[in-house]
Structure formats: structure tokens, C-alpha cells
């Protein structure tokens, strides 16, 4: 149980740290390129999966925090969800950085 608590706290803090570090280069990028950046999809249903992923992360993070990481199942779900969310954010970040740079 202690290992799931430690891993869940570590991964969630790592996610927030990476999120903060990802914001810094976007502030240094050209503002005109950022304003002309649009996400256009042919199918709007594609956007529901990232919304579910972020919603699941927020739900699990708040739930685990309120329960003080005492439920190992929720902790491992938070770990898996956060790892998938980090992978998704990294792919979007790389694509946006390529378009802006």
C-alpha cells in the first residue's frame, strides 16, 4: 500500500512539474505564431477522448487527495491515467513547438 501511495504522489507531482516546465518555452516563442495556431479537426468526436482523459485525471487526483492516498486501486488508476496523459501532452507539446519554432 505504501508503494502505491509513493508512486501516485511521485507521478502526479512529476506531471505538474512537467506542465510548469512546458509553459516556459511557449512564453519565449513568437506571439504572432501562437495566435495563428489553430486546432482544426474534421470530426469533433476526436476531442472527446482527451476530455475524458483530463476529466479522469482530475477526478482521480481529487479523489486520491481527499482520501489521502489510502486506496491502492485508486492510486494505481491515477498512475496509469497520469502516464497516458503525460504521453499525450508530450506529443501535443512537440507538435506545437515544431509549429511555433
Amino acid at each position: 500500500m505504501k508503494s502505491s501511495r509513493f508512486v501516485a504522489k511521485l507521478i502526479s507531482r512529476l506531471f505538474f512539474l512537467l506542465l510548469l516546465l512546458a509553459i516556459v518555452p511557449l512564453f519565449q516563442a513568437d506571439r504572432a505564431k501562437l495566435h495563428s495556431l489553430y486546432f482544426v479537426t474534421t470530426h469533433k468526436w476526436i476531442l472527446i477522448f482527451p476530455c475524458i482523459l483530463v476529466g479522469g485525471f482530475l477526478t482521480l487526483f481529487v479523489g486520491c487527495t481527499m482520501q489521502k492516498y489510502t486506496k491502492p486501486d485508486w492510486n494505481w488508476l491515477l498512475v496509469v491515467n497520469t502516464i497516458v496523459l503525460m504521453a499525450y501532452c508530450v506529443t501535443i507539446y512537440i507538435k506545437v513547438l515544431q509549429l511555433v519554432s
Side-chain angles (χ1 to χ4, degrees):
M1 180 162 133
K2 290 195 180 237
S3 64
S4 69
R5 176 185 295 173
F6 175 73
V7 173
K9 285 182 180 181
L10 178 75
I11 293 293
S12 60
R13 289 176 183 167
L14 180 67
F15 173 72
F16 287 123
L17 179 70
L18 289 176
L19 197 63
L20 285 175
L21 290 176
I23 293 173
V24 173
L26 291 178
F27 283 128
Q28 296 172 351
D30 187 16
R31 293 279 182 203
K33 288 183 181 179
L34 282 176
H35 287 294
S36 65
L37 186 66
Y38 297 104
F39 293 106
V40 179
T41 62
T42 56
H43 304 288
K44 298 298 180 190
W45 286 102
I46 292 174
L47 299 176
I48 198 163
F49 298 113
C51 291
I52 290 173
L53 192 62
V54 170
F57 171 75
L58 290 175
T59 303
L60 286 169
F61 182 72
V62 168
C64 286
T65 305
M66 290 180 69
Q67 297 291 329
K68 298 186 179 174
Y69 298 95
T70 57
K71 296 185 177 183
D73 294 339
W74 285 23
N75 293 342
W76 290 118
L77 283 173
L78 177 63
V79 167
V80 170
N81 191 344
T82 307
I83 289 173
V84 172
L85 185 61
M86 279 195 290
Y88 185 75
C89 288
V90 165
T91 57
I92 289 177
Y93 180 75
I94 290 171
K95 189 65 174 175
V96 167
L97 203 58
Q98 287 175 353
L99 293 173
V100 171
S101 301

